Coordinates of all heavy atoms in Angstrom, one line a residue:
K61 N 85.8 -10.4 233.9 CA 86.7 -9.9 235.0 C 87.1 -8.5 234.7 O 87.2 -7.7 235.7 CB 87.9 -10.9 235.1 CG 87.5 -12.2 235.7 CD 88.7 -13.2 235.6 CE 89.8 -12.7 236.4 NZ 91.0 -13.6 236.4
F62 N 87.4 -8.1 233.5 CA 87.9 -6.8 233.2 C 86.8 -5.8 233.0 O 87.0 -4.6 233.2 CB 88.9 -6.8 232.0 CG 90.2 -7.5 232.3 CD1 90.4 -8.8 231.8 CD2 91.2 -7.0 233.0 CE1 91.6 -9.5 232.0 CE2 92.3 -7.6 233.3 CZ 92.6 -8.9 232.8
R63 N 85.7 -6.2 232.5 CA 84.6 -5.3 232.2 C 83.3 -5.9 232.8 O 82.6 -6.6 232.2 CB 84.5 -5.1 230.7 CG 83.7 -3.8 230.3 CD 82.3 -4.0 230.4 NE 81.5 -2.9 229.9 CZ 80.2 -2.7 230.1 NH1 79.5 -3.7 230.8 NH2 79.6 -1.7 229.7
K64 N 83.1 -5.6 234.1 CA 81.9 -6.1 234.8 C 80.6 -5.4 234.3 O 80.6 -4.3 234.0 CB 82.1 -6.0 236.3 CG 83.3 -6.8 236.8 CD 83.4 -6.6 238.3 CE 84.5 -7.4 238.9 NZ 84.7 -7.3 240.3
K65 N 79.5 -6.2 234.3 CA 78.2 -5.6 234.0 C 77.8 -4.7 235.1 O 78.0 -4.9 236.3 CB 77.2 -6.8 233.7 CG 77.5 -7.7 232.6 CD 77.3 -7.0 231.3 CE 77.4 -8.0 230.1 NZ 78.7 -8.7 230.0
K66 N 77.1 -3.7 234.7 CA 76.5 -2.7 235.7 C 75.2 -3.3 236.2 O 74.2 -3.4 235.5 CB 76.3 -1.4 235.0 CG 77.6 -0.7 234.6 CD 77.3 0.7 234.0 CE 78.6 1.4 233.5 NZ 78.3 2.7 232.9
L67 N 75.3 -3.6 237.5 CA 74.1 -4.2 238.2 C 73.9 -3.5 239.5 O 74.8 -2.9 240.0 CB 74.3 -5.7 238.4 CG 74.7 -6.6 237.2 CD1 75.2 -8.0 237.6 CD2 73.6 -6.7 236.2
K68 N 72.7 -3.6 240.0 CA 72.3 -3.1 241.3 C 71.3 -4.0 242.0 O 70.6 -4.8 241.3 CB 71.7 -1.7 241.2 CG 70.4 -1.6 240.4 CD 69.8 -0.2 240.4 CE 68.5 -0.2 239.6 NZ 67.9 1.1 239.6
F69 N 71.3 -4.0 243.3 CA 70.3 -4.7 244.0 C 69.4 -3.8 244.8 O 69.8 -2.8 245.3 CB 71.0 -5.7 245.0 CG 71.6 -5.1 246.2 CD1 70.9 -5.0 247.4 CD2 72.9 -4.6 246.2 CE1 71.5 -4.4 248.5 CE2 73.5 -4.0 247.3 CZ 72.8 -3.9 248.5
C70 N 68.1 -4.1 244.7 CA 67.1 -3.3 245.4 C 65.9 -4.2 245.7 O 65.9 -5.4 245.4 CB 66.7 -2.0 244.6 SG 66.2 -2.4 242.9
K71 N 64.8 -3.6 246.2 CA 63.7 -4.4 246.6 C 63.0 -5.0 245.4 O 62.9 -4.3 244.4 CB 62.7 -3.5 247.3 CG 63.0 -3.2 248.8 CD 63.0 -4.4 249.6 CE 63.2 -4.1 251.1 NZ 63.1 -5.3 251.9
S72 N 62.6 -6.2 245.5 CA 62.0 -7.0 244.4 C 60.6 -7.3 244.8 O 60.2 -7.6 245.9 CB 62.8 -8.2 244.2 OG 62.1 -9.1 243.3
H73 N 59.7 -7.4 243.7 CA 58.3 -7.8 243.9 C 58.2 -9.3 244.0 O 57.2 -9.9 244.4 CB 57.5 -7.4 242.7 CG 57.8 -8.0 241.4 ND1 58.9 -7.7 240.6 CD2 57.2 -9.1 240.8 CE1 58.9 -8.5 239.6 NE2 57.9 -9.3 239.7
I74 N 59.3 -10.1 243.7 CA 59.3 -11.5 243.8 C 59.6 -11.9 245.3 O 58.8 -12.6 245.9 CB 60.4 -12.2 242.9 CG1 60.0 -11.9 241.4 CG2 60.4 -13.7 243.1 CD1 61.0 -12.4 240.4
H75 N 60.7 -11.5 245.8 CA 61.0 -11.9 247.2 C 62.1 -10.9 247.7 O 63.2 -10.9 247.2 CB 61.5 -13.3 247.3 CG 62.0 -13.7 248.6 ND1 61.2 -13.9 249.7 CD2 63.3 -13.9 249.1 CE1 61.9 -14.2 250.8 NE2 63.2 -14.3 250.4
D76 N 61.8 -10.2 248.7 CA 62.8 -9.4 249.5 C 63.7 -8.6 248.5 O 63.2 -7.7 247.8 CB 63.7 -10.3 250.3 CG 64.2 -9.6 251.5 OD1 63.9 -8.4 251.7 OD2 65.0 -10.2 252.3
W77 N 65.0 -8.9 248.4 CA 65.9 -8.2 247.6 C 66.1 -8.9 246.2 O 65.9 -10.1 246.2 CB 67.3 -8.0 248.2 CG 67.3 -7.2 249.5 CD1 67.2 -7.7 250.8 CD2 67.3 -5.8 249.6 NE1 67.2 -6.6 251.7 CE2 67.2 -5.5 251.0 CE3 67.3 -4.7 248.6 CZ2 67.2 -4.1 251.4 CZ3 67.3 -3.4 249.1 CH2 67.3 -3.1 250.5
G78 N 66.4 -8.1 245.2 CA 66.7 -8.7 243.9 C 67.8 -8.0 243.2 O 68.2 -6.9 243.6
L79 N 68.3 -8.6 242.1 CA 69.3 -8.0 241.3 C 68.8 -7.5 240.0 O 68.0 -8.2 239.3 CB 70.4 -9.0 241.0 CG 71.7 -8.5 240.4 CD1 72.4 -7.6 241.4 CD2 72.6 -9.7 240.0
F80 N 69.1 -6.2 239.6 CA 68.5 -5.6 238.5 C 69.7 -5.1 237.5 O 70.8 -4.7 238.0 CB 67.7 -4.4 238.9 CG 66.4 -4.8 239.6 CD1 66.5 -5.1 241.0 CD2 65.2 -4.9 239.0 CE1 65.4 -5.4 241.7 CE2 64.1 -5.3 239.7 CZ 64.1 -5.6 241.0
A81 N 69.4 -5.1 236.2 CA 70.4 -4.6 235.3 C 70.3 -3.1 235.1 O 69.3 -2.5 235.1 CB 70.1 -5.3 233.9
M82 N 71.5 -2.5 235.1 CA 71.6 -1.0 234.9 C 72.1 -0.7 233.5 O 72.3 0.5 233.2 CB 72.6 -0.5 235.9 CG 72.2 -0.6 237.4 SD 73.4 0.1 238.5 CE 73.3 1.9 238.0
E83 N 72.2 -1.7 232.7 CA 72.6 -1.5 231.3 C 72.0 -2.6 230.4 O 71.7 -3.7 231.0 CB 74.1 -1.5 231.1 CG 74.8 -2.8 231.5 CD 76.3 -2.8 231.2 OE1 76.7 -2.0 230.3 OE2 77.0 -3.5 231.8
P84 N 71.7 -2.4 229.2 CA 71.2 -3.5 228.3 C 72.2 -4.7 228.2 O 73.4 -4.4 228.1 CB 71.0 -2.8 227.0 CG 71.0 -1.4 227.2 CD 71.9 -1.2 228.4
I85 N 71.7 -5.9 228.4 CA 72.5 -7.1 228.3 C 72.0 -7.9 227.2 O 70.9 -8.3 227.1 CB 72.5 -7.8 229.6 CG1 73.0 -7.0 230.8 CG2 73.4 -9.1 229.5 CD1 72.9 -7.6 232.1
A86 N 72.9 -8.3 226.2 CA 72.5 -9.1 225.1 C 72.4 -10.5 225.5 O 72.8 -10.9 226.6 CB 73.6 -9.0 224.0
A87 N 71.7 -11.3 224.6 CA 71.5 -12.7 224.9 C 72.9 -13.5 224.9 O 73.8 -13.1 224.2 CB 70.6 -13.3 223.9
D88 N 73.0 -14.5 225.7 CA 74.1 -15.4 225.7 C 75.4 -14.6 226.2 O 76.5 -14.8 225.6 CB 74.4 -16.1 224.4 CG 75.3 -17.3 224.5 OD1 75.4 -17.9 225.6 OD2 76.0 -17.6 223.5
E89 N 75.2 -13.8 227.2 CA 76.3 -13.0 227.7 C 76.5 -13.4 229.2 O 75.5 -13.8 229.9 CB 76.0 -11.5 227.7 CG 76.2 -10.9 226.3 CD 77.7 -10.8 225.9 OE1 78.5 -10.6 226.8 OE2 78.0 -11.0 224.7
M90 N 77.7 -13.4 229.7 CA 78.0 -13.6 231.1 C 77.6 -12.4 231.9 O 78.0 -11.3 231.6 CB 79.5 -13.9 231.3 CG 79.9 -15.3 231.0 SD 81.6 -15.6 231.5 CE 81.8 -17.3 231.0
V91 N 76.7 -12.6 232.8 CA 76.2 -11.5 233.6 C 77.0 -11.3 234.9 O 77.5 -10.2 235.1 CB 74.7 -11.7 234.0 CG1 74.1 -10.6 234.8 CG2 73.9 -11.9 232.7
I92 N 77.2 -12.3 235.7 CA 77.9 -12.2 236.9 C 78.3 -13.6 237.4 O 77.7 -14.6 237.0 CB 77.0 -11.5 238.0 CG1 77.9 -11.2 239.2 CG2 75.8 -12.4 238.3 CD1 77.1 -10.3 240.2
E93 N 79.4 -13.7 238.1 CA 79.9 -14.9 238.7 C 79.3 -15.1 240.1 O 79.2 -14.1 240.9 CB 81.4 -15.0 238.8 CG 82.0 -16.2 239.4 CD 83.4 -16.2 239.7 OE1 84.1 -15.1 239.4 OE2 84.0 -17.2 240.2
Y94 N 78.9 -16.3 240.4 CA 78.4 -16.6 241.8 C 79.6 -16.8 242.7 O 80.2 -17.8 242.6 CB 77.5 -17.8 241.8 CG 76.6 -17.9 243.0 CD1 75.3 -17.3 243.0 CD2 77.0 -18.5 244.1 CE1 74.5 -17.4 244.1 CE2 76.2 -18.6 245.3 CZ 75.0 -18.1 245.3 OH 74.2 -18.2 246.4
V95 N 79.9 -15.8 243.5 CA 81.1 -15.9 244.4 C 80.7 -16.3 245.8 O 79.7 -15.8 246.3 CB 81.8 -14.5 244.3 CG1 83.0 -14.5 245.2 CG2 82.2 -14.2 242.9
G96 N 81.6 -17.1 246.4 CA 81.4 -17.5 247.8 C 82.5 -18.4 248.2 O 83.5 -18.5 247.6
Q97 N 82.3 -19.1 249.4 CA 83.3 -20.0 249.9 C 83.0 -21.4 249.4 O 81.9 -21.9 249.4 CB 83.2 -20.0 251.4 CG 83.8 -18.8 252.1 CD 83.8 -19.0 253.6 OE1 82.8 -19.4 254.2 NE2 84.9 -18.6 254.3
N98 N 84.0 -22.1 248.9 CA 83.9 -23.5 248.4 C 84.0 -24.4 249.7 O 85.1 -24.4 250.3 CB 85.0 -23.8 247.4 CG 84.8 -23.1 246.1 OD1 83.8 -22.5 245.9 ND2 85.7 -23.3 245.2
I99 N 82.9 -25.1 249.9 CA 82.9 -26.0 251.1 C 82.4 -27.4 250.7 O 81.8 -27.5 249.6 CB 82.0 -25.4 252.2 CG1 80.5 -25.2 251.7 CG2 82.5 -24.1 252.7 CD1 79.6 -24.8 252.7
R100 N 82.6 -28.3 251.5 CA 82.2 -29.7 251.3 C 80.8 -29.9 251.8 O 80.2 -29.1 252.5 CB 83.1 -30.7 252.0 CG 84.5 -30.7 251.4 CD 85.5 -31.7 252.1 NE 85.8 -31.2 253.4 CZ 85.4 -31.8 254.5 NH1 84.7 -32.9 254.5 NH2 85.8 -31.3 255.7
Q101 N 80.2 -31.0 251.4 CA 78.8 -31.3 251.8 C 78.6 -31.4 253.3 O 77.6 -30.9 253.8 CB 78.3 -32.6 251.1 CG 76.9 -33.0 251.4 CD 75.9 -32.0 250.8 OE1 76.0 -31.7 249.6 NE2 75.0 -31.5 251.6
V102 N 79.6 -32.0 254.0 CA 79.5 -32.1 255.4 C 79.4 -30.7 256.1 O 78.6 -30.5 257.0 CB 80.7 -32.9 256.0 CG1 80.6 -33.0 257.5 CG2 80.7 -34.3 255.3

């Protein structure tokens, strides 16, 4: 939360847009939180 990883999104060869690292990230590190609206199944 206090020190977010440097990331960017641009065109990907896998599908449409993708997320890319702008700095080296070590193993077993938190990269980013998946943020959105919490909703029910219905």
Side-chain angles (χ1 to χ4, degrees):
K61 288 172 64 177
F62 291 105
R63 201 280 183 193
K64 296 182 179 179
K65 297 290 190 298
K66 294 182 180 179
L67 307 170
K68 66 178 179 180
F69 72 96
C70 55
K71 283 293 184 179
S72 169
H73 68 279
I74 298 177
H75 172 73
D76 206 4
W77 297 97
L79 190 65
F80 295 82
M82 294 181 64
E83 63 176 335
I85 301 175
D88 197 27
E89 284 287 329
M90 282 188 176
V91 180
I92 190 172
E93 179 191 359
Y94 197 93
V95 178
Q97 286 183 317
N98 288 357
I99 59 176
R100 294 178 290 115
Q101 181 65 54
V102 179

